[in-house]
Amino acid sequence: MLIIHYSPVLAQTPTDSLQIRETVLNYLEGMETNNPQRIEKAMHPDLAKRTIAKNKEGIEYPLNMTAASLIGYSKDFDFGLFYKGDIDPEVPLKSEVTIYEISNGIATVKAETNKFEFVDYIHLGKLNGEWKIINILWVMTGNTNKWMNQE
């Protein structure tokens, strides 16, 4: 028995990788500079940003953030609280964006920086010709930052 699966192929253009990288940088650099316009440009309105948190009893649960809340925080939140403890705040932000796969209008990316003490695993979708971040699963990569050491 021969089963033929048909699905329309959305061709990856030579600029997709550049556009994906630009979208991720709008998100990261938008946080670094408190620029809600850059973050909004990168996000799909239905964004789901999550991390695994722990309550006072030690029970782990997914902590959720929406595009609206991330954009709102970006106006005046001190994202420097997430800097690695030994980083000079004046050092320029350098981001490493690793594209794992681009396939049929979706992409999977890992993003890290020299300053922030977290890593993001990002899913993007190409909607109406633009790459937008739809999902982010993030994790702290250490415990030297001010956010982790709040009283």
Side-chain angles (χ1 to χ4, degrees), residues 72-142:
Y73 285 134
S74 70
K75 295 175 185 173
D76 58 15
F77 184 80
D78 180 9
F79 287 102
L81 293 171
F82 289 101
Y83 287 169
K84 297 171 185 173
D86 61 350
I87 197 75
D88 178 355
E90 299 303 315
V91 170
L93 182 72
K94 293 180 187 170
S95 300
E96 184 177 333
V97 178
T98 304
I99 300 173
Y100 288 127
E101 186 171 1
I102 304 171
S103 177
N104 296 328
I106 63 171
T108 300
V109 172
K110 179 181 179 183
E112 299 177 275
T113 74
N114 62 320
K115 293 174 86 169
F116 292 128
E117 196 166 36
F118 60 79
V119 61
D120 289 307
Y121 291 89
I122 301 171
H123 290 136
L124 300 96
K126 192 171 187 179
L127 299 137
N128 303 312
E130 290 186 87
W131 286 97
K132 296 291 184 180
I133 297 173
I134 297 173
N135 295 311
I136 301 171
L137 184 60
W138 68 280
V139 65
M140 298 302 293
T141 56

Side-chain angles (χ1 to χ4, degrees), residues 8-64:
V9 176
L10 302 173
Q12 174 186 340
T13 68
T15 59
D16 280 329
S17 293
L18 292 173
Q19 291 172 350
I20 289 166
R21 180 173 166 68
E22 179 184 347
T23 300
V24 172
L25 291 178
N26 276 332
Y27 156 61
L28 293 171
E29 293 172 3
M31 288 193 308
E32 165 76 0
T33 60
N34 290 94
N35 186 328
Q37 292 80 18
R38 284 190 75 184
I39 294 173
E40 185 172 14
K41 183 177 181 181
M43 300 296 147
H44 186 275
D46 291 331
L47 170 80
K49 181 174 178 176
R50 296 183 173 101
T51 192
I52 304 300
K54 197 180 282 190
N55 67 17
K56 292 177 183 177
E57 290 79 36
I59 298 170
E60 295 175 324
Y61 64 95
L63 181 63
N64 301 304

